[in-house]
Structures are given as structure tokens and as C-alpha cells.
């Protein structure tokens, strides 16, 4: 995949027809200043040859499955407000996108409890307006969602036990050849609650917070408008070189505090934004649609994540001295926050995502996608790649 990033003239691209194989198809990225949008730009530049790079006006050529290159424009909120239908229509008329990647989101989980209207406006109304304009123009939409649409437990019923078995096999890299009927018979009680297992796309969402509810509504509204043409990727515990995230916060605290308390009873999977960006570009290039889960492999608690951050940061000389990291329960952490006048949103105790469907889809479309790529490696390995970028 060759990518060339050059200074763009959007008025020129707007005049071009995307029906000809040699004419670039336009991809718009919303929320240009977000860590994921920055990762999408960085991955595009890393894969190809970087020329003149501008955040507000970045053009990227990617060889698409259709034979036509893709030209990328990342737009900030001041350029594209996804909650403003008139603004969206004007931007679409100017750029005439073939794809829109929605990285704009309200991600303040705790603040959303007291600002649910704004969270709903950005996370539910915004994606719906984008989807409506995509439907009118014939563009495709890739919308990013969250593991927080789930409530922390998985219920495996006979309706999708076979799908669970197949996804488990995909996640482990093992092909599944058994009779699906046998898989469904392995769960005689349709209401049985199992020990936590990574969530698959068919698991019923059950958000616990205003943020999770707004993200789920965004998904539902996109699907209601675009149906089978919608592309939705749920991800978890995202971190990267840009923006505010857990890894950067921990590094700052470890440099300034003698000890830390970190929650030990919430289990998920940290995901590097650059790895997510790579699979998202694959979905666009291969013209895939559907609901997908993506995270790194494995799982951990926030406490285990913090300990691994410190271990690797010390080895890479990003930290000079270790600090004491103490595990704490979610309940005790919330009580301490409340004593400081801070009310925390309820988070799922378990929100690990099974990426088997996505991995299988991309391998099917692209025989060169190998399991040893960083996209499919353990969260510790992804963390190491990110920290090396900082060292």
C-alpha cells in the first residue's frame, strides 16, 4: 500500500468524478485533532512518502480495492461540526467524499453523567447526521464506537453460541470446522450466565453510563440510516502518542508522585491508536461493512496496565525511578473521588472485545495480512511500540 501525502486543493478534488478508476476517491476524517485522527494521519504518512503535511488540509493517496486511489482530508471541529446538518452538507458539497471516518466524539466519561445532552448531541445526533448525508451522497461511513456499550457480563444463548465458538477460534488463530449445531448444543440453558468471555458483535449491549448510552445510540442511528452499508468499529482503552490518555497520564504521575492507586477490578484490553488506525485503513481500502470489534490481544486490569507501563518505561529510560503502585477497588476509588467532590460514572467490570470477526474479514479480503503484524499482537507488545516512539 503506497501513500503519498501532499498539500491538497479541496476545490480541485471536488470537481473530480470518483467513477473513473484513475480519479482519487476522497476520504474525510472528522475530529482531526483527536488521538485517533492523528494516528490515521501518522499511519498514512508512515506507510508512504511524506511531502507537505497540514492537519487541516491533508491529502493522501491510497490504492483502494476499486483501483482508484483515496485522497484524505482531516477536518477539525471548526471546519466540520458533525452536529450541524447545514455545515455537513456544505462540506460534502465541497469535498464530495467517498468515505467518511468519524473520529469526532464526546469522550469525557465522567462529565457525561452531568452533561448527557451534549454527549448525546455529539455521540448520537452527530453520527446520525453524517449517516444521513452519506446516504444522500452515496458515501460510505466508518463510525468508531466503544467497549462501554457493554455492561460487564456476557450472556451466551443458543441463538449465537455457534457464532461465539467461531469467533473464539478466530481469536486464537484456529480454524473452526465443527458442526455449528454441536456448538449450540453445548449451552443447554439459554439464560445461563458464563464466566466473563470477550464480547462478540452479537452480544447484547447494556451500557452503564450516559457516555456508553450515547455511543450505543450513535451506533443504532447509523445502522438505522445506512443499514448493511454502515461500518462500525468498537474499540477499548485507547491510548497513543497524541491527546490525553491513560498511558500519558500514568507517565506524568510516575514522574511527580511517590505512589499511585489504580483500579484493579475493571478488566479490559488496552489498544494502541496506531494499530487501530491500521485496521481501519484496511476496512476502507477493502470496502468492508458491518459491525466489528478491535482491540489488542489479551486482557488486564487498569492496575496491571499501570504496572506494565512503569516496567517498560523504566527499561526504556522514560522514567528514572519506580514508584509504588497500589491496587484499589472501583468502589473505594469512587468513594475517594466523592470525598473530593467528584462523581464518577459507572464503568463495566469486564469489557474485553473479541476481534476474531474483524481479523477473519481482513484476512479473507487480503491474503497478505499476516497474524504476526502488530495489529494482532499482545497488548504488552503494542504498548512497547508506542513507548518506543516516546523514547
Amino acid at each position: 500500500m503506497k501513500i503519498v501525502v501532499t498539500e491538497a486543493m479541496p476545490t480541485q478534488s471536488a470537481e473530480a468524478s470518483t467513477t473513473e478508476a484513475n480519479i482519487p476517491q476522497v476520504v474525510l476524517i472528522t475530529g482531526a485533532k483527536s488521538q485517533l485522527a492523528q494516528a490515521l494521519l501518522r499511519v498514512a504518512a508512515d506507510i508512504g512518502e511524506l511531502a507537505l503535511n497540514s492537519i487541516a488540509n491533508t491529502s493522501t493517496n491510497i490504492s483502494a480495492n476499486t483501483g482508484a486511489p483515496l485522497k484524505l482530508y482531516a477536518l477539525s471541529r471548526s471546519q466540520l461540526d458533525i452536529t450541524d446538518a447545514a455545515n455537513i452538507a456544505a462540506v460534502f458539497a465541497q469535498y464530495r467524499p467517498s468515505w467518511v471516518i468519524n473520529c469526532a466524539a464526546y469522550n469525557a466519561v465522567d462529565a457525561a453523567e452531568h452533561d448527557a445532552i451534549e454527549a448525546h448531541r455529539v455521540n448520537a445526533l452527530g453520527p446520525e447526521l453524517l449517516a444521513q448525508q452519506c446516504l444522500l451522497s452515496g458515501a460510505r461511513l466508518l463510525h468508531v464506537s466503544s467497549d462501554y456499550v457493554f455492561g460487564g457480563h456476557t450472556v451466551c444463548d443458543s441463538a449465537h453460541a455457534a457464532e461465539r465458538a467461531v469467533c473464539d477460534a478466530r481469536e486464537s488463530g484456529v480454524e473452526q470446522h465443527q458442526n455449528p449445531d454441536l456448538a449450540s448444543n453445548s449451552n443447554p440453558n439459554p439464560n445461563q450466565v458464563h464466566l466473563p468471555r470477550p464480547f462478540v458483535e452479537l452480544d447484547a449491549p447494556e451500557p452503564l453510563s450516559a457516555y456508553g448510552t450515547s455511543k450505543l445510540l450513535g451506533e443504532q442511528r447509523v445502522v438505522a440510516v445506512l443499514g448493511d452499508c454502515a461500518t462500525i468499529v468498537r474499540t477499548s482503552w485507547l491510548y497513543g502518542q497524541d491527546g490525553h490518555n491513560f498511558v500519558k497520564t500514568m507517565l506524568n504521575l510516575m514522574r511527580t508522585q511517590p505512589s499511585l492507586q489504580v483500579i484493579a477490578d475493571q478488566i479490559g484490553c488496552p489498544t494502541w491508536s496506531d494499530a487501530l488506525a491500521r485496521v481501519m485503513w484496511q476496512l476502507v481500502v477493502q470496502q468492508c461493512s458491518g459491525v466489528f470489534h478491535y482491540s489488542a490481544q489479551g486482557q488486564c486490569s487498569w492496575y496491571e496496565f499501570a504496572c506494565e507501563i512503569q516496567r517498560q518505561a523504566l527499561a526504556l529510560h522514560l522514567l528514572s525511578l519506580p514508584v509504588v503502585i497500589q491496587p484499589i477497588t472501583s468502589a473505594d476509588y469512587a468513594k475517594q473521588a466523592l470525598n473530593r467532590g467528584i462523581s464518577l460514572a459507572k464503568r463495566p467490570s469486564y469489557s474485553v472485545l473479541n476481534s476474531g470477526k474483524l481479523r477473519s474479514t481482513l484476512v479473507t479480503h487480503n491474503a497478505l495480512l499476516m497474524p504476526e503484524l502488530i495489529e494482532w499482537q499482545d497488548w504488552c507488545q503494542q504498548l512497547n511500540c508506542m513507548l518506543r516512539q516516546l523514547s
Side-chain angles (χ1 to χ4, degrees):
M1 183 190 299
K2 184 178 182 181
I3 301 174
V4 181
V5 184
T6 57
E7 188 173 28
M9 296 296 292
T11 54
Q12 293 177 1
S13 68
E15 298 298 322
S17 169
T18 62
T19 59
E20 300 178 34
N22 61 337
I23 300 299
Q25 298 186 52
V26 172
V27 180
L28 291 184
I29 297 179
T30 70
K33 296 181 181 179
S34 68
Q35 67 172 334
L36 181 54
Q38 288 294 291
L40 287 164
L41 293 172
R42 181 168 47 252
V43 166
D46 286 347
I47 294 174
E49 299 168 3
L50 180 63
L52 301 176
N53 186 8
S54 166
I55 233 185
N57 246 354
T58 300
S59 165
T60 302
N61 293 331
I62 308 173
S63 178
N65 199 35
T66 59
L70 302 178
K71 183 166 285 188
L72 164 65
Y73 298 94
L75 304 181
S76 64
R77 182 178 179 181
S78 63
Q79 296 169 303
L80 175 54
D81 181 352
I82 68 169
T83 67
D84 185 335
N87 182 215
I88 295 172
V91 169
F92 271 61
Q94 179 182 7
Y95 289 90
R96 297 185 183 179
S98 298
W99 274 88
V100 177
I101 303 177
N102 184 30
C103 295
Y106 184 108
N107 289 324
V109 177
D110 296 321
E113 294 299 304
H114 308 286
D115 198 11
I117 292 176
E118 181 65 11
H120 177 278
R121 196 170 72 90
V122 178
N123 292 342
L125 174 63
E128 180 181 25
L129 295 178
L130 285 174
Q132 289 172 350
Q133 195 62 47
C134 285
L135 183 66
L136 290 173
S137 66
R140 300 284 298 275
L141 176 62
L142 195 168
H143 176 61
V144 182
S145 191
S146 168
D147 58 325
Y148 280 16
V149 301
F150 293 111
H153 65 274
T154 52
V155 179
C156 183
D157 59 31
S158 57
H160 69 271
E163 176 71 12
R164 264 200 171 285
V166 171
C167 285
D168 287 342
R170 289 169 179 162
E171 188 78 357
S172 63
V174 177
E175 292 295 329
Q176 186 77 3
H177 299 295
Q178 71 180 54
N179 187 334
D181 293 333
L182 297 179
S184 63
N185 290 335
S186 65
N187 184 39
N189 183 355
N191 297 316
Q192 181 179 356
V193 178
H194 289 254
L195 293 174
R197 297 176 62 188
F199 285 94
V200 298
E201 291 79 359
L202 290 178
D203 284 318
E206 189 181 356
L208 303 176
S209 64
Y211 166 77
T213 299
S214 70
K215 294 299 288 185
L216 177 59
L217 284 172
E219 291 183 17
Q220 292 171 338
R221 293 187 181 189
V222 166
V223 171
V225 174
L226 296 176
D228 293 340
C229 292
T231 307
I232 295 170
V233 178
R234 294 172 179 150
T235 192
S236 65
W237 294 21
L238 197 64
Y239 67 90
Q241 295 91 307
D242 308 290
H244 301 286
N245 56 69
F246 185 80
V247 174
K248 294 175 70 176
T249 297
M250 286 295 105
L251 289 174
N252 289 333
L253 291 174
M254 289 169 185
R255 293 183 181 115
T256 59
Q257 303 296 321
S259 65
L260 302 174
Q261 289 185 322
V262 184
I263 292 174
D265 59 355
Q266 292 176 20
I267 308 298
C269 188
T271 303
W272 184 29
S273 58
D274 286 37
L276 173 59
R278 290 180 181 277
V279 298
M280 288 173 64
W281 280 126
Q282 286 290 330
L283 287 171
V284 171
V285 168
Q286 301 301 332
Q287 305 283 305
C288 299
S289 60
V291 178
F292 301 98
H293 289 174
Y294 177 73
S295 66
Q297 301 299 294
Q299 61 185 44
C300 64
S301 67
W302 291 110
Y303 168 74
E304 291 168 326
F305 190 16
C307 291
E308 183 64 15
I309 292 168
Q310 177 167 254
R311 187 189 72 79
Q312 292 196 23
L314 287 168
L316 293 170
H317 305 292
L318 292 169
L319 297 173
S320 55
L321 295 172
V323 302
V324 175
I325 306 176
Q326 299 173 332
I328 188 173
T329 66
S330 299
D332 287 342
Y333 190 83
K335 288 178 183 177
Q336 291 183 8
L338 197 59
N339 289 337
R340 300 193 303 271
I342 302 172
S343 179
L344 300 181
K346 190 173 183 181
R347 290 162 167 80
S349 59
Y350 186 88
S351 60
V352 181
L353 301 177
N354 185 314
S355 304
K357 176 185 174 183
L358 176 59
R359 180 173 175 176
S360 176
T361 299
L362 294 183
V363 169
T364 298
H365 283 78
N366 182 5
L368 297 179
L369 188 67
M370 303 300 289
E372 61 266 20
L373 295 178
I374 188 62
E375 296 93 301
W376 311 112
Q377 292 181 350
D378 184 84
W379 67 268
C380 294
Q381 294 169 299
Q382 287 194 5
L383 174 63
N384 189 258
C385 289
M386 180 269 189
L387 291 177
R388 287 183 180 276
Q389 303 262 349
L390 300 179
S391 62

